[in-house]
Amino acid sequence: MEKVNDKHAFRSAQFTLAAQHLKQIPEDAGYEVAFAGRSNAGKSSAINALTGIRSLARTSKTPGRTQQIVFFTVDEQHRLVDLPGYGYAKVPPKVKQHWHNLLEKYFAKRESLKGLILVMDIRHPLTEFDQQMLHWCEATTTPTHILLTKADKLSRGAALSQLQKVQNSLTDIEHLVSTQVFSAPSRNGVNQVIEKLNQWMEYPSRAAE
Ligand code: GDP
């Protein structure tokens, strides 16, 4: 198993605020990387695994927060952002509309947004939710890195075959999208995500240390 690089800035991420409306969010300056995923895809576990801070993202999971954008400050210039998702269950149209309006505007207007980490369950990738996120990324030319998580649920061969399938179906937008396998419990793939975050945040890479 790869040695996990724990010398990265994201270890100092701290919960800052949860916003229901864009007027409540931090000033649009510096660098921001957002995380999105259909609920239950494994987004909170991925955020926790890569920051190395257990329960960082869980703090945002209290009821009522599912429609909010949650900000974590890394340092004065850098933030991680947990975007709201929704799940398998039918969502009330009003809730979905709020989600849609909020995220559409966030993507269109947010200049500090440098990239999106899109978390998908490796067994059920490219859902309707994911397609919507990819559409906004394409429309706003936001670079996107897909985490095919829960890779520990598949054999190595099956996981690589899923990776290949997803990559093949995204050739139209391959200039904007990269994809990797990931597992929160084994922290497999953490270094690769950190590399991507460092690149987007314009931090020096330390993976070789
Ligand atoms: P979220 O709703 O996208 O934030 O999903 P969570 O991170 O809360 O994860 C949903 C469920 O999947 C939880 O029961 C997690 O323990 C489980 N889970 C998340 N990531 C992984 C993973 O990489 N491997 C396995 N086996 N389970 C995972």
Side-chain angles (χ1 to χ4, degrees), residues 38-46 58 61 149-153 182-185:
R38 192 173 77 149
S39 64
N40 226 37
K43 181 187 55 170
S44 313
S45 305
R58 299 248 175 245
K61 269 204 147 180
T149 194
K150 308 193 189 180
D152 54 284
K153 300 258 193 190
F182 188 87
S183 165

mmCIF file of all heavy atoms in Angstrom, residues 38-46 58 61 149-153 182-185, ligand 1:
data_model
loop_
_atom_site.group_PDB
_atom_site.id
_atom_site.type_symbol
_atom_site.label_atom_id
_atom_site.label_comp_id
_atom_site.label_asym_id
_atom_site.label_seq_id
_atom_site.Cartn_x
_atom_site.Cartn_y
_atom_site.Cartn_z
ATOM 1 N N ARG A 38 -23.501 12.968 -4.826
ATOM 2 C CA ARG A 38 -24.850 12.572 -4.435
ATOM 3 C C ARG A 38 -24.795 12.063 -3.004
ATOM 4 O O ARG A 38 -23.786 11.436 -2.625
ATOM 5 C CB ARG A 38 -25.325 11.463 -5.364
ATOM 6 C CG ARG A 38 -26.796 11.188 -5.224
ATOM 7 C CD ARG A 38 -27.221 10.218 -6.270
ATOM 8 N NE ARG A 38 -26.831 8.862 -5.924
ATOM 9 C CZ ARG A 38 -27.526 7.785 -6.277
ATOM 10 N NH1 ARG A 38 -28.619 7.921 -6.997
ATOM 11 N NH2 ARG A 38 -27.120 6.581 -5.944
ATOM 12 N N SER A 39 -25.818 12.314 -2.207
ATOM 13 C CA SER A 39 -25.706 11.919 -0.807
ATOM 14 C C SER A 39 -25.485 10.412 -0.707
ATOM 15 O O SER A 39 -26.015 9.636 -1.508
ATOM 16 C CB SER A 39 -26.912 12.365 0.013
ATOM 17 O OG SER A 39 -28.052 11.738 -0.439
ATOM 18 N N ASN A 40 -24.629 10.055 0.243
ATOM 19 C CA ASN A 40 -24.233 8.668 0.465
ATOM 20 C C ASN A 40 -23.136 8.176 -0.489
ATOM 21 O O ASN A 40 -22.693 7.033 -0.375
ATOM 22 C CB ASN A 40 -25.436 7.729 0.413
ATOM 23 C CG ASN A 40 -25.409 6.768 1.558
ATOM 24 O OD1 ASN A 40 -25.004 7.151 2.661
ATOM 25 N ND2 ASN A 40 -25.788 5.530 1.326
ATOM 26 N N ALA A 41 -22.705 9.019 -1.407
ATOM 27 C CA ALA A 41 -21.644 8.608 -2.335
ATOM 28 C C ALA A 41 -20.331 8.374 -1.586
ATOM 29 O O ALA A 41 -19.512 7.554 -2.003
ATOM 30 C CB ALA A 41 -21.443 9.666 -3.412
ATOM 31 N N GLY A 42 -20.129 9.108 -0.480
ATOM 32 C CA GLY A 42 -18.890 8.967 0.279
ATOM 33 C C GLY A 42 -18.100 10.271 0.358
ATOM 34 O O GLY A 42 -16.907 10.262 0.664
ATOM 35 N N LYS A 43 -18.781 11.392 0.132
ATOM 36 C CA LYS A 43 -18.108 12.689 0.096
ATOM 37 C C LYS A 43 -17.526 13.086 1.459
ATOM 38 O O LYS A 43 -16.359 13.479 1.539
ATOM 39 C CB LYS A 43 -19.095 13.756 -0.393
ATOM 40 C CG LYS A 43 -18.495 15.141 -0.500
ATOM 41 C CD LYS A 43 -19.556 16.171 -0.833
ATOM 42 C CE LYS A 43 -20.688 16.116 0.171
ATOM 43 N NZ LYS A 43 -21.626 17.213 0.074
ATOM 44 N N SER A 44 -18.324 12.953 2.533
ATOM 45 C CA SER A 44 -17.809 13.352 3.861
ATOM 46 C C SER A 44 -16.618 12.488 4.246
ATOM 47 O O SER A 44 -15.609 12.990 4.754
ATOM 48 C CB SER A 44 -18.879 13.195 4.945
ATOM 49 O OG SER A 44 -20.082 13.743 4.535
ATOM 50 N N SER A 45 -16.732 11.186 3.980
ATOM 51 C CA SER A 45 -15.627 10.274 4.308
ATOM 52 C C SER A 45 -14.378 10.652 3.525
ATOM 53 O O SER A 45 -13.262 10.576 4.045
ATOM 54 C CB SER A 45 -16.003 8.839 3.994
ATOM 55 O OG SER A 45 -17.196 8.495 4.659
ATOM 56 N N ALA A 46 -14.544 11.063 2.268
ATOM 57 C CA ALA A 46 -13.392 11.451 1.445
ATOM 58 C C ALA A 46 -12.752 12.720 2.006
ATOM 59 O O ALA A 46 -11.520 12.799 2.126
ATOM 60 C CB ALA A 46 -13.827 11.653 -0.004
ATOM 61 N N ARG A 58 -18.429 15.707 8.995
ATOM 62 C CA ARG A 58 -19.641 15.251 9.702
ATOM 63 C C ARG A 58 -20.295 16.392 10.460
ATOM 64 O O ARG A 58 -21.492 16.394 10.650
ATOM 65 C CB ARG A 58 -19.311 14.163 10.715
ATOM 66 C CG ARG A 58 -18.715 12.965 10.086
ATOM 67 C CD ARG A 58 -19.603 11.746 10.145
ATOM 68 N NE ARG A 58 -18.935 10.713 9.391
ATOM 69 C CZ ARG A 58 -19.401 10.197 8.269
ATOM 70 N NH1 ARG A 58 -20.585 10.562 7.833
ATOM 71 N NH2 ARG A 58 -18.732 9.307 7.613
ATOM 72 N N LYS A 61 -23.242 17.660 8.988
ATOM 73 C CA LYS A 61 -24.293 16.712 8.594
ATOM 74 C C LYS A 61 -25.540 16.745 9.448
ATOM 75 O O LYS A 61 -26.372 15.860 9.346
ATOM 76 C CB LYS A 61 -23.725 15.299 8.570
ATOM 77 C CG LYS A 61 -23.175 14.949 7.204
ATOM 78 C CD LYS A 61 -23.175 13.458 7.006
ATOM 79 C CE LYS A 61 -23.424 13.113 5.554
ATOM 80 N NZ LYS A 61 -23.423 11.686 5.349
ATOM 81 N N THR A 149 -14.997 6.471 -5.433
ATOM 82 C CA THR A 149 -14.704 6.026 -4.074
ATOM 83 C C THR A 149 -15.373 4.699 -3.744
ATOM 84 O O THR A 149 -16.129 4.169 -4.554
ATOM 85 C CB THR A 149 -15.049 7.140 -3.053
ATOM 86 O OG1 THR A 149 -14.456 6.792 -1.805
ATOM 87 C CG2 THR A 149 -16.533 7.333 -2.886
ATOM 88 N N LYS A 150 -15.053 4.174 -2.571
ATOM 89 C CA LYS A 150 -15.481 2.845 -2.117
ATOM 90 C C LYS A 150 -14.849 1.766 -3.004
ATOM 91 O O LYS A 150 -15.441 0.705 -3.224
ATOM 92 C CB LYS A 150 -17.009 2.713 -2.087
ATOM 93 C CG LYS A 150 -17.710 3.840 -1.301
ATOM 94 C CD LYS A 150 -19.150 3.537 -1.014
ATOM 95 C CE LYS A 150 -19.867 4.768 -0.440
ATOM 96 N NZ LYS A 150 -21.268 4.533 -0.135
ATOM 97 N N ALA A 151 -13.655 2.067 -3.540
ATOM 98 C CA ALA A 151 -12.968 1.111 -4.416
ATOM 99 C C ALA A 151 -12.665 -0.186 -3.669
ATOM 100 O O ALA A 151 -12.515 -1.242 -4.287
ATOM 101 C CB ALA A 151 -11.690 1.721 -4.958
ATOM 102 N N ASP A 152 -12.606 -0.113 -2.328
ATOM 103 C CA ASP A 152 -12.367 -1.325 -1.525
ATOM 104 C C ASP A 152 -13.514 -2.318 -1.628
ATOM 105 O O ASP A 152 -13.386 -3.474 -1.251
ATOM 106 C CB ASP A 152 -12.127 -0.932 -0.056
ATOM 107 C CG ASP A 152 -13.241 -0.081 0.512
ATOM 108 O OD1 ASP A 152 -13.307 1.131 0.200
ATOM 109 O OD2 ASP A 152 -14.086 -0.609 1.248
ATOM 110 N N LYS A 153 -14.655 -1.873 -2.171
ATOM 111 C CA LYS A 153 -15.805 -2.781 -2.338
ATOM 112 C C LYS A 153 -15.674 -3.649 -3.590
ATOM 113 O O LYS A 153 -16.483 -4.540 -3.801
ATOM 114 C CB LYS A 153 -17.100 -1.964 -2.460
ATOM 115 C CG LYS A 153 -17.409 -1.099 -1.257
ATOM 116 C CD LYS A 153 -18.467 -1.731 -0.401
ATOM 117 C CE LYS A 153 -19.001 -0.749 0.623
ATOM 118 N NZ LYS A 153 -19.848 -1.428 1.606
ATOM 119 N N PHE A 182 -10.462 5.648 -5.370
ATOM 120 C CA PHE A 182 -10.249 6.159 -4.011
ATOM 121 C C PHE A 182 -10.908 5.204 -3.023
ATOM 122 O O PHE A 182 -11.867 4.514 -3.363
ATOM 123 C CB PHE A 182 -10.894 7.551 -3.901
ATOM 124 C CG PHE A 182 -10.592 8.286 -2.623
ATOM 125 C CD1 PHE A 182 -9.442 9.067 -2.522
ATOM 126 C CD2 PHE A 182 -11.449 8.224 -1.530
ATOM 127 C CE1 PHE A 182 -9.147 9.763 -1.353
ATOM 128 C CE2 PHE A 182 -11.167 8.907 -0.353
ATOM 129 C CZ PHE A 182 -10.017 9.687 -0.271
ATOM 130 N N SER A 183 -10.370 5.187 -1.814
ATOM 131 C CA SER A 183 -11.040 4.469 -0.729
ATOM 132 C C SER A 183 -10.775 5.193 0.578
ATOM 133 O O SER A 183 -9.614 5.438 0.918
ATOM 134 C CB SER A 183 -10.527 3.029 -0.651
ATOM 135 O OG SER A 183 -10.907 2.468 0.594
ATOM 136 N N ALA A 184 -11.825 5.558 1.283
ATOM 137 C CA ALA A 184 -11.648 6.283 2.548
ATOM 138 C C ALA A 184 -11.016 5.415 3.633
ATOM 139 O O ALA A 184 -10.040 5.839 4.260
ATOM 140 C CB ALA A 184 -12.969 6.879 3.002
ATOM 141 N N PRO A 185 -11.518 4.186 3.886
ATOM 142 C CA PRO A 185 -10.934 3.418 4.988
ATOM 143 C C PRO A 185 -9.462 3.071 4.787
ATOM 144 O O PRO A 185 -8.690 3.094 5.739
ATOM 145 C CB PRO A 185 -11.798 2.157 5.085
ATOM 146 C CG PRO A 185 -12.690 2.152 3.915
ATOM 147 C CD PRO A 185 -12.717 3.525 3.330
HETATM 148 P P1 GDP B 1 -21.860 11.370 1.921
HETATM 149 O O1 GDP B 1 -23.325 11.374 2.148
HETATM 150 O O2 GDP B 1 -21.522 11.434 0.469
HETATM 151 O O3 GDP B 1 -21.106 12.389 2.717
HETATM 152 O O4 GDP B 1 -21.359 9.912 2.346
HETATM 153 P P2 GDP B 1 -20.591 9.401 3.655
HETATM 154 O O5 GDP B 1 -19.156 9.807 3.613
HETATM 155 O O6 GDP B 1 -21.364 9.751 4.867
HETATM 156 O O7 GDP B 1 -20.624 7.833 3.377
HETATM 157 C C1 GDP B 1 -21.820 7.104 3.193
HETATM 158 C C2 GDP B 1 -21.608 5.670 3.657
HETATM 159 O O8 GDP B 1 -20.615 5.038 2.859
HETATM 160 C C3 GDP B 1 -21.109 5.572 5.098
HETATM 161 O O9 GDP B 1 -21.688 4.425 5.681
HETATM 162 C C4 GDP B 1 -19.611 5.406 4.942
HETATM 163 O O10 GDP B 1 -19.001 4.722 6.011
HETATM 164 C C5 GDP B 1 -19.516 4.598 3.656
HETATM 165 N N1 GDP B 1 -18.272 4.886 2.924
HETATM 166 C C6 GDP B 1 -17.813 6.095 2.530
HETATM 167 N N2 GDP B 1 -16.649 5.990 1.862
HETATM 168 C C7 GDP B 1 -16.340 4.666 1.839
HETATM 169 C C8 GDP B 1 -15.255 3.901 1.273
HETATM 170 O O11 GDP B 1 -14.310 4.417 0.652
HETATM 171 N N3 GDP B 1 -15.319 2.539 1.443
HETATM 172 C C9 GDP B 1 -16.340 1.927 2.093
HETATM 173 N N4 GDP B 1 -16.301 0.602 2.182
HETATM 174 N N5 GDP B 1 -17.371 2.608 2.633
HETATM 175 C C10 GDP B 1 -17.389 3.964 2.505
#
